[in-house]
Amino acid sequence: MYRFLPNVLTRFLLRRFFGSFFLVTLTVCGIIFAVTFVERLSSNPDAITTLFDAWTRLLEYIPMFLPLAVFMGTLVVSYNLTKSSEMIIISGAGLSPYQITKPFLIGAFLIGTVAATVLNPYSVNLTTRNLTEHQLKLIDDSVWLREASDNGFLTVRATNINVSGDKNIIFNNVNIFLQNKNFQLQERISAQQATLSYDGLYIPNANAINSDGVTTKTTKHIHTKLTPQTVLDRYLKPDQISFWKLPGFIRKMNAIGVMTRGHMVQFWTLLFLPLTMMAMVILGMAFAQTKQRRNYSFGLKFSLGILTCFALYFITNLFNALGTTGVLPPILAIVAPQIIIIAGACMFITSFDTI
């Protein structure tokens, strides 16, 4: 009997926690979705397209407010349990604030795990279906590609890049330099447009200048190991790669000498997302602690908690920036703010009534 009762209590607290979390999440999602739908209605041909556009944009906002939703859900469930005297009964059964928090931590861990392993890949898959140059991380607003082979070197520079419906890459205002093994220029090709497919690089209406300075107007087809996917991988932003593909992507980019600090920060952010959710639960419990059923001052605690979350949001972004620029190791930039939050919140919980 002794072993069964904690399981019942855990399920009860988990159910109440998930109920409050989903209530807060659905409310925030509904507001964002409605505002986005109305905003995008004029720029889409029909309501169905607008609904899909609003849904895609909503998925981009979810990672930003998910920790806040967990914090607000923790405050709401604690307030409801205190108001109905259920928290007093649970405390009277001999459970400390830390023991009461355990089911909430389990729920937060599950939320963070699902968000990183399921929601993130689904969101990335939707948002990267039709990429343009405005969604890619270009260097000096230009596309630079270089390939080495047994025959020499191929260098491509273009002003922008687009992905066609058949997943081919279209370069605009492109210049291509062909060099031999000794880096001597053999041919320079310029064109308004070039298409990269899995069959190679196709350049219609190209101006080709050979090593003797002779210019010819021709259509070029260059066989290359470059593919549309490798080009996209080179310029994808960290949040455009799913959690499951990030480790392999980072290894591949490191092998060709591409900077991956931003991608490392993104990977550790997703990997430690359950820890972030758990930190927000502990912070929420710190603000929710009280010995009184009446005069709970829920509005004051809720307002101060939201302000604290916004402050922590900027601090977390600051640490992320330090990790991206290399000032801090990426893993430390992600874990340090969460450890600080947990340590500070536990100190508040120890004092029992903090505000």
Side-chain angles (χ1 to χ4, degrees):
M1 189 69 175
Y2 174 77
R3 296 179 61 186
F4 177 73
L5 286 178
N7 292 332
V8 173
L9 183 59
T10 298
R11 289 197 297 269
F12 168 75
L13 291 176
L14 267 176
R15 189 164 57 248
R16 297 294 294 270
F17 172 75
F18 280 126
S20 298
F21 166 75
F22 285 120
L23 176 63
V24 172
T25 303
L26 289 176
T27 301
V28 177
C29 286
I31 295 173
I32 295 176
F33 185 82
V35 172
T36 306
F37 177 79
V38 173
E39 178 187 2
R40 301 296 298 176
L41 193 59
S42 59
S43 58
N44 286 294
D46 51 61
I48 301 300
T49 305
T50 307
L51 285 173
F52 180 78
D53 191 10
W55 172 248
T56 304
R57 290 178 177 270
L58 174 63
L59 292 175
E60 296 177 356
Y61 287 115
I62 285 180
M64 291 188 290
F65 71 77
L66 194 59
L68 181 61
V70 171
F71 173 80
M72 294 170 64
T74 304
L75 280 183
V76 171
V77 69
S78 299
Y79 170 72
N80 290 332
L81 290 173
T82 302
K83 186 178 180 181
S84 62
S85 298
E86 291 170 311
M87 185 66 78
I88 298 175
I89 296 172
I90 294 172
S91 300
L95 273 70
S96 69
Y98 295 105
Q99 292 173 317
I100 297 173
T101 307
K102 286 181 181 179
F104 301 159
L105 293 176
I106 294 173
F109 180 85
L110 293 175
I111 291 170
T113 302
V114 171
T117 60
V118 179
L119 183 62
N120 173 261
Y122 173 70
S123 173
V124 168
N125 181 58
L126 283 184
T127 56
T128 57
R129 284 183 178 178
N130 297 300
L131 292 172
T132 66
E133 72 274 10
H134 303 293
Q135 297 169 280
L136 299 176
K137 188 177 182 181
L138 304 183
I139 302 173
D140 297 331
D141 295 326
S142 299
V143 179
W144 286 92
L145 300 170
R146 187 174 178 83
E147 179 190 72
S149 65
D150 296 336
N151 298 324
F153 300 90
L154 167 70
T155 304
V156 180
R157 181 189 182 277
T159 56
N160 56 51
I161 179 176
N162 290 284
V163 183
S164 64
D166 51 2
K167 300 301 181 181
N168 292 334
I169 299 294
I170 299 175
F171 301 108
N172 295 320
N173 299 321
V174 62
N175 287 283
I176 301 172
F177 304 91
L178 300 176
Q179 298 169 285
N180 60 21
K181 295 180 180 180
N182 298 321
F183 299 98
Q184 294 175 334
L185 184 64
Q186 293 181 315
E187 191 174 24
R188 174 184 174 180
I189 304 169
S190 60
Q192 290 295 320
Q193 192 175 88
T195 302
L196 177 66
S197 67
Y198 287 90
D199 294 328
L201 191 61
Y202 176 73
I203 316 161
N205 301 319
N207 292 315
I209 305 176
N210 60 22
S211 57
D212 297 326
V214 179
T215 302
T216 56
K217 191 81 171 180
T218 182
T219 296
K220 286 283 187 177
H221 188 277
I222 302 175
H223 294 282
T224 174
K225 295 179 181 179
L226 293 173
T227 65
Q229 189 58 49
T230 57
V231 173
L232 286 180
D233 286 348
R234 173 65 176 81
Y235 290 102
L236 284 176
K237 297 177 183 178
D239 59 358
Q240 293 172 332
I241 307 167
S242 72
F243 171 75
W244 299 111
K245 294 181 179 180
L246 268 171
F249 178 88
I250 291 171
R251 287 194 298 269
K252 183 167 60 176
M253 292 298 103
N254 286 335
I256 63 176
V258 176
M259 185 183 302
T260 59
R261 282 197 296 263
H263 299 84
M264 288 294 298
V265 169
Q266 176 71 1
F267 173 72
W268 291 119
T269 299
L270 293 173
L271 184 65
F272 286 102
L273 191 57
L275 177 64
T276 302
M277 301 297 106
M278 295 168 70
M280 300 311 294
V281 164
I282 297 175
L283 183 65
M285 289 299 295
F287 277 89
Q289 294 302 306
T290 181
K291 297 179 181 180
Q292 304 175 10
R293 178 183 173 184
R294 301 181 184 275
N295 300 322
Y296 181 54
S297 302
F298 176 76
L300 175 62
K301 288 173 180 271
F302 189 84
S303 301
L304 291 177
I306 296 300
L307 292 176
T308 302
C309 284
F310 279 114
L312 292 174
Y313 174 78
F314 287 109
I315 293 174
T316 302
N317 283 344
L318 175 62
F319 273 85
N320 287 351
L322 294 176
T324 303
T325 56
V327 177
L328 291 177
I331 186 172
L332 179 61
I334 300 305
V335 175
Q338 316 312 328
I339 295 177
I340 294 172
I341 294 172
I342 293 174
C346 287
M347 292 178 59
F348 283 136
I349 293 177
T350 302
S351 65
F352 194 68
D353 196 359
T354 62
I355 300 178

